[in-house]
Amino acid sequence: MKQNNGTYWAVVPAAGSGSRMRAEIPKQYLVINDRTVLEHTLARLCAHPAIAGVVIALSATDRWWPLLRRLPADKPLAVVTGGAERCHSVLNCLRYLRRTQPADHPVLVHDAARPCVRAQDIDSLLQACAAHPVGGLLGMPVRDTMKRCDSHGAILETVDRRRLWHAMTPQMFSLGLLMDALEQSLAREQLVTDEASAIEALGLRPVMVEAAADNIKITRPEDLQLAEYYLRRQETP
Ligand code: CTP
Ligand code: MG
């Protein structure tokens, strides 16, 4: 991928409702360690020297963004309106970026709900993608024995876990390639849940880069305490 003087834009989809979290407000606005999840995530990204700025997708009905008081001030943050699914929100951010950035500009897409991402893991991703023609993503090898079941829970098979990975974010691809990939997925009515799936559907093979296990996506209520613990632990030298 293009090196781009070592600086890249990031895209943060933050337009979800957090239904599995079952909270009163969207999970990206829940507070852990004195800041909202979204503020932690943006602080992590903006603290990294390779990030030029961030485009954030917010829900059309978002009421919380204007209330945030601890947003990073040292890098440009742009806000666009998200869409019905994560892939629509990401695409809206990419379309906005494409007005000022060339098609070969590499972008990092990172979930608002992953506030614990480490600078070191971003470094690993940048390094791997710089040397790769397609791009890549952070992930983690699965640890448990994996089973495929039918809809009643009856086990159909044990899946060989040795080559199975959890897909995480950031995921890094060229702006133009990713826009094409997502637009084609949408045209086929495939609502991909990550960028790599759309790229894979083009017949390309992104590279998987191992990240720390604490790069969790806050999804269910118990994840909030876990993220709080990881953030505190990372901040203690
Ligand atoms: N997201 C988005 N636009 C959507 C749906 C999701 O920008 N229409 C964002 C979320 O805000 C989140 C990220 O995509 O930062 C990952 O999605 P997920 O963890 O599934 O969040 P939600 O969709 O909000 O949660 P749920 O699926 O439990 O409703
Ligand atoms: Mg979702």
Side-chain angles (χ1 to χ4, degrees):
M1 295 181 84
K2 190 175 142 189
Q3 298 288 301
N4 215 54
N5 294 330
T7 60
Y8 313 94
W9 276 82
V11 154
V12 170
S17 62
S19 54
R20 286 169 288 180
M21 187 57 113
R22 300 193 308 269
E24 301 269 295
I25 64 172
K27 61 189 180 182
Q28 57 274 29
Y29 293 113
L30 295 174
V31 173
I32 44 178
N33 303 354
D34 300 331
R35 285 178 197 213
T36 61
V37 169
L38 181 54
E39 285 169 310
H40 280 289
T41 302
L42 294 174
R44 282 287 160 111
L45 289 174
C46 289
H48 196 287
I51 301 298
V54 188
V55 183
I56 304 138
L58 300 179
S59 159
T61 59
D62 185 288
R63 293 183 275 125
W64 298 274
W65 173 262
L67 306 176
L68 299 184
R69 291 290 168 265
R70 306 191 62 180
L71 289 171
D74 55 333
K75 294 196 179 163
L77 303 179
V79 168
V80 303
T81 304
E85 299 292 336
R86 183 183 179 283
C87 51
H88 301 107
S89 299
V90 170
L91 197 50
N92 287 354
C93 294
L94 299 176
R95 284 180 180 142
Y96 173 87
L97 258 188
R98 187 66 185 87
R99 297 183 346 207
T100 56
Q101 302 301 320
D104 63 353
H105 180 98
V107 291
L108 287 91
V109 181
H110 185 60
D111 291 325
R114 289 189 195 271
C116 308
V117 64
R118 294 164 181 257
Q120 213 179 321
D121 288 336
I122 297 177
D123 290 340
S124 308
L125 179 70
L126 294 176
Q127 207 181 349
C129 289
H132 197 272
V134 176
L137 64 153
L138 291 182
M140 186 183 89
V142 306
R143 295 168 171 179
D144 299 315
T145 301
M146 306 298 282
K147 309 281 188 189
R148 191 185 311 282
C149 300
D150 68 13
S151 58
H152 307 289
I155 295 170
L156 300 174
E157 60 170 332
T158 300
V159 185
D160 183 359
R161 74 162 170 230
R162 280 173 299 177
R163 293 187 180 161
L164 282 183
W165 290 67
H166 295 275
M168 298 172 164
T169 69
Q171 305 202 356
M172 189 176 191
F173 299 101
S174 298
L175 182 50
L177 174 69
L178 187 53
M179 284 177 72
D180 289 347
L182 290 172
E183 273 161 6
Q184 288 183 39
S185 293
L186 287 178
R188 289 191 306 270
E189 293 182 25
Q190 281 169 346
L191 299 173
V192 289
T193 53
D194 75 344
E195 289 59 56
S197 312
I199 300 286
E200 291 155 40
L202 300 179
L204 299 171
R205 302 203 179 285
V207 61
M208 183 62 91
V209 179
E210 185 162 0
D214 56 12
N215 184 22
I216 60 165
K217 181 161 69 79
I218 298 176
T219 305
R220 296 168 197 278
E222 61 271 22
D223 298 331
L224 213 57
Q225 278 164 307
L226 196 56
E228 189 169 339
Y229 167 76
Y230 285 145
L231 286 173
R232 275 196 210 288
R233 198 181 60 171
Q234 289 174 5
E235 280 153 20
T236 343

